[in-house]
Amino acid sequence: MFATYRKGSSLLHRIDPRTKLLLTAGTGILVYLADPRGLWLLSVATVLLIRVAGIPASSLVKGLRPMAVFFALIFLTHLLMQGGGVVAAAIPVARFILLILFTTVLLHTTSQSELKTALVSLMKPLGGFGRELAFMVGVAMALMPGLMRDKETIARAQMARGCKPAGLRGFVALIVPLLRRSFRRADELSDALESRCYHRDREYYYYGGALAGTDYFLLGGFGAVIVLALIL
Amino acid sequence: MIELAGISFSYPERPVLRDVSLCIGRGEYLGITGDNGSGKTTLVKLLNGLLLSQEGEVTVDGTPTSDRESLFAIRRSVGIVFQNPDAQAVGETVEEDIVFGLENIRVPSSEIDRRIEKYLGMLGIPELRDRNVSLLSGGQKQLVNIAAVMAMEPAYIVFDEALSMLDASNRRNVLLRMSELTMRGISIIQITHNPKDLGNCHRVITISEGRISGTVGFSSEIAMPSDSNASVDGRTITAECANETNEGKGEKSAVVNWMHNTATDIDDINRKYNPVDFTACMGSIRPQRKKGKRCGEFGNHRTGHVSGVSREGDGIEIRHLTHTYSPDTEWAVPALKDVSLTIGRGMVTGIVGGIGSGKSTLACLIAGLDTPTSGSIAIDGRSPKPGGNVRILFQHPEEFFFERTVREAVAFGPSKAGLPDDAVEASVLSAIDEVGLGRGILEKSPFKLSSGEQRLAAFAVSIAVKPEYVILDEPTAGLDQRSRRLVLDAIRRMTGGGGAGGGVTVIYISHQIGEVLEVADRIAKLSAGNLVFEGTNAMYRDRM
């Protein structure tokens, strides 16, 4: 999920990030509204988008794999609690997968700064709060890959020491160094941010720009689809 | 000019800086050095108001850092590159990371473009512009951090151990760029343990126990202009700064000695790798260095007993080893390419090479933490497995402590192996002795030790289980010269080089070739995943 952005020049890369953000949110609504037939349509759309964005299948599988247990759980719950057969139980799983795939397309074609700029711009009506929220999201995203790697390194180091990653002892061996590192990392990052002149009223302009005609067309068209879906 | 007047600073439990006075002129290139924990990083954070001193005042171009209104202006003129390359990147891609600071100081978009190109080019990394920061190596990240701070074009740039992960050629380039900047009137303040990095400095101060314990200035050789603020040719220091020192000239010789000592025994080697010759700039102060003289016991005394490669089936046999990260994806990174190598028992094998050459990958494969893409590794005829008779110590191993006392940490392995209590105690004591720590340290918390002691304690943890092989990944990273000595000594003792105990086979991985050459019997050099040299220490020295 994280660190998936790759610079590219596909059609999807070129659409304004604000539009992409809104469209992804809209797709989320559609995914929940859609009936089985609608889900088929959306699946076709996903495959098309993935093709256009040029995302390799292996990275999609990699993104979905950790969720497998979760999917299985949803499937079983629906199958056992609500009846209705295998197909009915598969529908909520399909919804989740589609949602993740749409988000992957967004994250793959939109950089963190673009997203941040888009969030700031969309939250302008909220004032300073919107800016800070967008900034916090950005920082959290910047810290995440490092934390994941720390966890990996610590787990390996303890394994090399003969400390199995199981049980209370294994948990302590992982969590104590991880927490210490994370706090230190957060401290260091805040020093670095301050030293690079971060301030609350900073403006995001390098990745900005006005919405073009295509954006309004896309947003309008998509809005119409959602309205139709709501009515039908 | 940055002026520190009678600065004292303490954290709740301990005083860090005591009555420090210092002034840094425009265009000056100042080196700051000192042992771990001497207060260098605290000093850095005082320079741009990240910390405020309890006593005394820091002023930047006349504005005190305690003036919260002017903080933005102060931080704009004092840029800091910090030590840890993992905790400074704000953007997802390199470009975004540089844009962050430039947007903060409202540089126009077109100018942002120009600066990104200029500074990435200056540091020799224009191809990294669109790369994802989190996927870069430590050294590459350090270059990006440096570019991001330089691009903001501050009047003073502070480098806090910011070159530690760079390989020789990048380090050389950055040092050159620093000198160039001082020529243009920008002040450079460089903090480092590594005396050979300070060759171009106009002045070097040493901090110990929170005080400036010495100053080596080159002011006498520099023509002092009548206008004290002039810094036209970059080599001038404002007049009032030039001879300023806390303790007076009496301390000067001590600093020269300190540098002399630290420089001497790694000197011969360093000269070959570093054109910025540290001793050259000291020439006027220290008349003539006696060539070939070495400090105390640190001669190369291990040429005699090395026979080379050991018997068949004994030692580590690596055959046609190839390893690729994320194979079959667009991010596939080939880390090792068809490496064949034999590592003999009872000696120190140094694995050297630049950043990203595949050293750490090889280490993880030998330790059994990864399975190679193809090829084989046999350790005394068996395949590697984690927690077996090969122990690996990652960089900064002290960060992995989770026990309350050093005793608990060291005893963990032996007691897990099911040894009776008295045998556990015996292995704990012998491990502590072997690394050269005092036994008094056993009841202390591992987090309360000095960085050198922590490192040695981590060594003790790994040898307490009496492994046959120990892999040390950059064992001296982040340590001051004194602690480095202790670590190198411990390595010699572990292998039995010092006579006591030992018998462990050590694989020493580092990009600091000079240090490796001090203790290694054999050297293997990797470059871009290929084995480019394999032979004895003497052969390596001859060839280079």
Side-chain angles (χ1 to χ4, degrees):
Chain A
M1 281 288 276
F2 299 102
T4 49
Y5 173 65
R6 289 291 171 290
K7 191 137 179 163
S9 53
S10 77
L11 186 65
L12 286 172
H13 280 89
R14 276 176 284 144
I15 297 175
D16 188 285
R18 280 163 292 187
T19 312
K20 278 190 275 188
L21 202 60
L22 287 176
L23 289 185
T24 312
T27 329
I29 301 174
L30 273 185
V31 165
Y32 274 95
L33 289 176
D35 55 8
R37 217 161 12 134
L39 283 178
W40 277 115
L41 275 174
L42 283 169
S43 307
V44 174
T46 324
V47 173
L48 276 175
L49 287 176
I50 289 170
R51 284 265 126 181
V52 173
I55 307 174
S58 57
S59 82
L60 290 177
V61 174
K62 222 173 161 186
L64 287 173
R65 203 184 290 147
M67 308 286 286
V69 180
F70 178 64
F71 294 148
L73 218 65
I74 298 178
F75 181 77
L76 287 176
T77 327
H78 277 264
L79 192 67
L80 300 176
M81 310 287 270
Q82 299 187 327
V86 178
V87 178
I91 287 176
V93 178
R95 287 191 212 276
F96 265 108
I97 295 180
L98 282 176
L99 207 58
I100 292 174
L101 291 180
F102 277 120
T103 318
T104 310
V105 171
L106 174 75
L107 291 180
H108 198 278
T109 56
T110 320
S111 77
Q112 196 192 308
S113 283
E114 286 176 330
L115 276 178
K116 228 183 312 180
T117 313
L119 266 176
V120 169
S121 157
L122 291 173
M123 289 199 279
K124 219 169 222 163
L126 297 176
F129 170 74
R131 262 204 303 267
E132 273 176 47
L133 187 69
F135 179 73
M136 284 191 299
V137 171
V139 167
M141 282 168 81
L143 275 173
M144 208 51 83
L147 286 182
M148 308 284 240
R149 222 187 1 255
D150 279 352
K151 194 203 113 206
E152 187 71 13
T153 316
I154 293 166
R156 281 166 153 244
Q158 305 298 24
M159 205 159 85
R161 255 173 86 173
C163 188
K164 299 244 159 49
L168 183 64
R169 181 108 205 180
F171 179 72
V172 171
L174 185 65
I175 207 74
V176 171
L178 187 61
L179 281 178
R180 286 182 47 243
R181 267 202 185 196
S182 308
F183 286 134
R184 210 190 56 210
R185 201 184 266 276
D187 262 356
E188 289 173 346
L189 184 67
S190 84
D191 279 348
L193 291 178
E194 284 197 52
S195 298
R196 284 210 238 155
C197 299
Y198 172 71
H199 53 102
R200 290 168 157 217
D201 307 318
R202 85 184 290 274
E203 284 181 42
Y204 299 77
Y205 51 86
Y206 186 72
Y207 295 99
L211 285 179
T214 355
D215 295 306
Y216 291 113
F217 175 75
L218 278 170
L219 287 173
F222 205 75
V225 173
I226 293 181
V227 171
L228 272 177
L230 277 171
I231 296 168
L232 295 178
Chain B
M1 188 172 75
I2 300 181
E3 215 172 347
L4 287 81
I7 295 295
S8 294
F9 184 89
S10 7
Y11 288 112
E13 309 117 60
R14 64 198 175 93
V16 184
L17 292 174
R18 274 169 283 186
D19 193 26
V20 170
S21 293
L22 174 69
C23 95
I24 305 160
R26 279 291 176 102
E28 181 175 359
Y29 188 168
L30 175 72
I32 301 182
T33 169
D35 287 347
N36 295 118
S38 58
K40 302 187 299 293
T41 296
T42 304
L43 182 70
V44 166
K45 290 187 185 175
L46 288 167
L47 297 180
N48 76 343
L50 283 175
L51 291 176
L52 291 177
S53 59
Q54 283 101 355
E55 275 171 52
E57 196 174 57
V58 180
T59 53
V60 176
D61 296 328
T63 315
T65 55
S66 53
D67 176 4
R68 305 315 274 180
E69 298 293 305
S70 313
L71 214 49
F72 181 77
I74 286 171
R75 290 187 178 156
R76 202 179 161 156
S77 48
V78 184
I80 303 182
V81 189
F82 292 95
Q83 198 167 1
N84 182 355
D86 281 321
Q88 287 177 74
V90 204
E92 194 176 8
T93 65
V94 171
E95 178 189 281
E96 286 169 27
D97 195 48
I98 299 174
V99 167
F100 172 79
L102 298 179
E103 274 186 340
N104 286 340
I105 57 170
R106 299 191 190 88
V107 175
S109 289
S110 55
E111 171 71 6
I112 289 183
D113 264 330
R114 195 188 65 80
R115 289 204 195 171
I116 292 173
E117 242 168 70
K118 176 178 170 191
Y119 288 96
L120 286 181
M122 202 166 165
L123 295 166
I125 47 169
E127 74 284 358
L128 296 187
R129 180 167 178 162
D130 294 327
R131 293 273 294 277
N132 198 309
V133 179
S134 65
L135 299 177
L136 300 179
S137 73
Q140 286 172 322
K141 281 184 202 162
Q142 281 191 326
L143 290 173
V144 172
N145 296 336
I146 294 170
V149 172
M150 279 186 176
M152 292 173 75
E153 303 192 340
Y156 306 87
I157 310 182
V158 186
F159 294 84
D160 185 3
E161 292 281 355
L163 275 54
S164 57
M165 293 185 182
L166 299 185
D167 51 26
S169 65
N170 277 312
R171 179 183 292 257
R172 213 149 45 212
N173 180 44
V174 173
L175 289 172
L176 193 70
R177 300 302 175 190
M178 288 183 186
S179 295
E180 277 173 16
L181 287 174
T182 58
M183 306 278 179
R184 284 192 271 139
I186 291 165
S187 314
I188 301 286
I189 297 131
Q190 195 192 348
I191 287 99
T192 181
H193 292 313
N194 203 344
K196 64 182 170 170
D197 282 354
L198 297 175
N200 296 348
C201 290
H202 301 150
R203 181 163 62 129
V204 177
I205 63 170
T206 307
I207 299 188
S208 64
E209 287 167 13
R211 292 174 193 278
I212 297 183
S213 63
T215 305
V216 182
F218 304 110
S219 47
S220 52
E221 284 78 48
I222 299 168
M224 202 54 67
S226 50
D227 173 9
S228 65
N229 288 318
S231 54
V232 193
D233 66 357
R235 298 284 301 174
T236 51
I237 301 165
T238 41
E240 70 263 41
C241 281
N243 291 311
E244 177 261 15
T245 152
N246 259 14
E247 313 271 324
K249 288 209 163 185
E251 285 292 312
K252 229 177 189 179
S253 60
V255 183
V256 174
N257 283 339
W258 172 82
M259 288 177 158
H260 176 84
N261 288 342
T262 43
T264 303
D265 51 355
I266 45 173
D267 214 14
D268 300 23
I269 300 152
N270 289 338
R271 286 157 87 88
K272 293 181 183 162
Y273 299 97
N274 205 338
V276 186
D277 188 356
F278 174 67
T279 50
C281 73
M282 310 253 313
S284 50
I285 296 167
R286 183 153 52 93
Q288 267 291 244
R289 198 171 58 83
K290 277 186 217 119
K291 192 111 176 75
K293 183 180 169 277
R294 290 185 169 277
C295 271
E297 66 207 295
F298 295 108
N300 179 28
H301 52 69
R302 37 176 64 254
T303 38
H305 69 98
V306 181
S307 57
V309 181
S310 55
R311 303 192 305 277
E312 190 88 5
D314 207 13
I316 302 178
E317 294 277 346
I318 297 164
R319 289 290 162 263
H320 304 292
L321 194 68
T322 297
H323 193 68
T324 306
Y325 289 107
S326 324
D328 310 319
T329 69
E330 61 171 314
W331 312 295
V333 184
L336 288 174
K337 297 168 198 159
D338 194 23
V339 171
S340 293
L341 177 69
T342 302
I343 296 172
R345 288 187 76 142
M347 59 173 86
V348 182
T349 300
I351 297 180
V352 299
I355 291 152
S357 58
K359 306 184 300 288
S360 297
T361 305
L362 183 59
C364 285
L365 292 173
I366 297 174
L369 293 171
D370 274 322
T371 315
T373 313
S374 70
S376 69
I377 300 174
I379 294 158
D380 297 338
R382 288 185 297 275
S383 54
K385 79 175 201 308
N389 60 350
V390 180
R391 291 282 148 143
I392 181 166
L393 268 151
F394 287 105
Q395 281 183 45
H396 301 285
E398 60 279 3
E399 291 184 2
F400 305 121
F401 284 128
F402 59 93
E403 294 89 349
R404 273 164 301 179
T405 63
V406 175
R407 181 188 295 276
E408 269 181 53
V410 182
F412 173 73
S415 56
K416 208 163 168 297
L419 294 180
D421 283 355
D422 51 338
V424 170
E425 181 64 15
S427 6
V428 169
L429 293 180
S430 81
I432 285 289
D433 292 345
E434 209 168 303
V435 297
L437 283 172
R439 291 185 179 186
I441 221 162
L442 283 170
E443 304 312 324
K444 290 192 189 165
S445 159
F447 306 120
K448 295 264 161 78
L449 307 180
S450 75
S451 10
E453 288 169 338
Q454 281 188 333
R455 194 65 54 89
L456 293 174
F459 277 28
V461 169
S462 71
I463 59 171
V465 291
K466 309 236 180 297
E468 306 274 348
Y469 302 91
V470 173
I471 305 172
L472 305 170
D473 192 353
E474 301 284 357
T476 61
L479 293 185
D480 54 46
Q481 296 295 333
R482 202 166 46 88
S483 310
R484 272 165 203 253
R485 293 265 145 266
L486 296 176
V487 165
L488 294 181
D489 270 353
I491 293 174
R492 284 197 192 94
R493 264 197 301 272
M494 276 154 71
T495 50
V504 182
T505 301
V506 173
I507 298 165
Y508 182 156
I509 295 173
S510 180
H511 66 279
Q512 308 268 12
I513 298 172
E515 281 177 4
V516 179
L517 286 177
E518 276 191 58
V519 291
D521 302 303
R522 290 186 76 83
I523 303 282
K525 185 174 183 180
L526 291 171
S527 172
N530 295 299
L531 185 69
V532 291
F533 175 87
E534 206 276 310
T536 62
N537 190 322
M539 279 157 71
Y540 187 85
R541 285 170 191 262
D542 284 345
R543 214 192 65 150
M544 291 298 140

